[in-house]
């Protein structure tokens, strides 16, 4: 797959892979997809959650298969048993295949056309849908794939323990406001908890890049700019405005360009780092690198 054409941070566009689970429409940013393969024989994993169908070897990698029919509680058609497709995705150091009914194709969209899903729970981090794309007479739901794999314990929460031992410089002003742009309530909570654990007291969170940009740009001309926006931590894929566009807008503004901006996303890999660098990001960190993110943040705030 040619990653050079699937994500253009200069235009706030994305390519959404549309697929069916049962008869419902869903989508995933094609930048997360390594390939699509036909259903293959699986080796069951003893004592695993029902949603984990099993594992198989593919291109010398062990791939865990998650059945989205089970996760989403959608029925499998009788003629679909033993069929369907696997959407294979690489998450940092491991590979996951999502079992879906069929793949329909790629939709060319802008992040501005992606809307926030309605809240269906009192707990903000319960949902597994991060956005909705309205196309003609249908709605495509964009899933929070990181939350799905975390809920199934495929990522150990111990990955985040490293931030607890971070040394906080005595001269660091922990009262300055940090801005977070993150569309996944689950990952947003993980990040906020880590920042509060090391002592940061003022954190502003925004569901998408556009809301974050409106807040940051509203502080232009303020004598307290450096306190109101000490740094920005942004996801890459978000409704309304992606993280690369947000970063570029900040770094191209004469008054705001000094604000440190850090990318925090599961999409941090070799093919994406060039886009983050081009946008002007001061650092780019994968989901498991919260400790490194906070250490780098501390260095920038004490310069």
């Amino acid at each position: 797959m040619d990653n050079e054409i699937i994500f253009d941070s200069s235009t706030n566009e994305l390519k959404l892979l549309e697929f069916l689970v049962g008869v419902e429409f869903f989508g995933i940013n094609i930048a997360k997809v390594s390939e699509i393969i036909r259903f293959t024989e699986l080796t069951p994993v003893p004592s695993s959650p029902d949603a984990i169908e099993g594992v198989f070897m593919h291109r010398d990698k062990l791939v865990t298969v998650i059945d989205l029919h089970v996760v989403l509680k959608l029925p499998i058609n009788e003629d679909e048993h033993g069929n369907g497709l696997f959407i294979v995705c690489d998450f940092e150091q491991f590979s996951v295949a999502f079992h879906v009914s069929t793949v329909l194709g790629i939709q060319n969209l802008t992040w501005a056309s992606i809307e926030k899903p309605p809240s269906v729970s009192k707990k903000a981090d319960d949902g597994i849908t991060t956005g909705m794309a309205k196309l003609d007479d249908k709605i495509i739901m964009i899933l929070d794939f990181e939350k799905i794999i975390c809920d199934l314990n495929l990522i150990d929460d111990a990955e985040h323990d490293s931030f607890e031992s971070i040394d906080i410089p005595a001269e660091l002003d922990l009262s300055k406001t940090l801005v977070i742009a993150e569309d996944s309530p689950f990952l947003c909570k993980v990040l906020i908890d880590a920042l509060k654990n090391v002592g940061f007291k003022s954190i502003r969170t925004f569901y998408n890049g556009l809301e974050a940009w409106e807040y940051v740009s509203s502080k232009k001309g303020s004598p307290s700019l450096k306190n109101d926006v000490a740094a920005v931590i942004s996801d890459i894929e978000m409704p309304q405005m992606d993280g690369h566009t947000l970063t570029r807008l900040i770094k191209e503004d004469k008054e705001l360009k000094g604000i440190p901006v850090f990318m925090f996303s599961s999409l941090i890999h070799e093919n994406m780092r060039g886009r983050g660098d081009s946008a002007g990001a001061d650092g780019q960190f994968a989901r498991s690198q919260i400790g490194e993110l906070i250490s780098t943040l501390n260095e920038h705030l004490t310069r």
Side-chain angles (χ1 to χ4, degrees):
M1 182 173 296
D2 187 357
N3 284 314
E4 292 303 314
I5 64 173
I6 59 179
F7 192 101
D8 186 348
S9 64
S10 65
T11 59
N12 201 38
E13 295 178 350
L14 80 152
K15 292 182 181 291
L16 194 70
L17 182 69
E18 181 185 3
F19 59 89
L20 284 175
V21 179
V23 295
E24 302 293 332
F25 297 93
F26 296 93
I28 182 173
N29 187 343
I30 198 71
K32 290 185 175 181
V33 179
S34 59
E35 59 185 311
I36 301 166
I37 61 176
R38 294 186 181 278
F39 189 95
T40 187
E41 288 295 322
L42 303 175
T43 300
V45 179
S47 302
S48 63
D50 292 340
I52 297 180
E53 283 191 89
V55 296
F56 69 101
M57 292 299 298
H58 183 64
R59 302 186 190 280
D60 297 324
K61 285 186 177 181
L62 184 67
V63 181
T64 300
V65 178
I66 297 175
D67 189 348
L68 286 184
H69 301 85
V70 176
V71 173
L72 300 170
K73 300 179 181 179
L74 294 172
I76 299 178
N77 298 328
E78 290 185 4
D79 59 354
E80 191 185 321
H81 284 285
N83 295 300
L85 294 172
F86 291 161
I87 299 175
V88 182
C89 305
D90 293 323
F91 290 93
E92 299 180 38
Q93 302 302 319
F94 65 98
S95 297
V96 174
F98 296 98
H99 181 188
V100 304
S101 300
T102 190
V103 170
L104 300 176
I106 296 175
Q107 298 287 354
N108 296 298
L109 303 170
T110 66
W111 282 111
S113 67
I114 307 299
E115 299 182 13
K116 180 180 179 179
S119 177
V120 295
S121 171
K122 292 182 180 180
K123 292 182 65 178
D125 59 339
D126 273 352
I128 58 171
T129 303
T130 60
M132 303 184 307
K134 296 181 180 179
L135 293 173
D136 300 324
D137 59 346
K138 63 184 175 184
I139 296 176
I140 301 175
M141 306 301 294
I142 302 173
L143 299 173
D144 189 342
F145 292 92
E146 288 82 0
K147 185 177 191 301
I148 291 173
I149 62 177
C150 287
D151 285 349
L152 293 172
N153 296 317
L154 294 179
I155 295 180
D156 190 348
D157 286 339
E159 291 177 352
H160 302 300
D161 290 345
S162 58
F163 65 74
E164 296 180 354
S165 60
I166 294 174
D167 293 328
I168 304 300
E171 65 272 25
L172 179 60
D173 185 353
L174 294 169
S175 67
K176 291 183 177 181
T177 299
L178 305 179
V179 173
I180 295 177
E182 170 62 70
D183 69 328
S184 167
F186 170 75
L187 290 183
C188 190
K189 183 177 184 301
V190 169
L191 184 54
I192 290 173
D193 288 348
L195 291 168
K196 287 185 175 180
N197 185 275
V198 298
F200 286 99
K201 299 178 175 62
S202 180
I203 302 172
R204 293 290 302 265
T205 59
F206 298 93
Y207 174 78
N208 60 61
L210 180 59
E211 292 176 352
W213 168 245
E214 290 174 346
Y215 171 79
V216 173
S217 59
S218 73
K219 300 301 178 179
K220 291 174 62 175
S222 170
S224 60
L225 172 62
K226 291 184 178 180
N227 290 322
D228 295 335
V229 189
V232 175
I233 302 172
S234 176
D235 188 13
I236 291 178
E237 53 170 1
M238 296 178 289
Q240 300 298 306
M241 180 185 292
D242 66 74
H244 288 147
T245 301
L246 170 63
T247 302
R248 178 172 51 79
L249 288 174
I250 292 173
K251 293 302 182 179
E252 288 180 352
D253 187 282
K254 292 182 180 180
E255 189 174 347
L256 303 175
K257 64 182 181 180
I259 297 173
V261 182
F262 305 101
M263 301 277 96
F264 176 68
S265 170
S266 61
L267 286 178
I268 300 299
H269 50 64
E270 184 177 354
N271 289 317
M272 282 295 169
R273 286 190 180 277
R275 289 165 171 76
D277 291 339
S278 296
D282 294 278
Q284 302 180 70
F285 302 90
R287 179 190 176 278
S288 61
Q289 297 177 304
I290 290 185
E292 295 177 41
L293 165 62
I294 295 177
S295 293
T296 304
L297 173 66
N298 292 345
E299 292 175 7
H300 278 263
L301 296 183
T302 53
R303 287 178 179 175

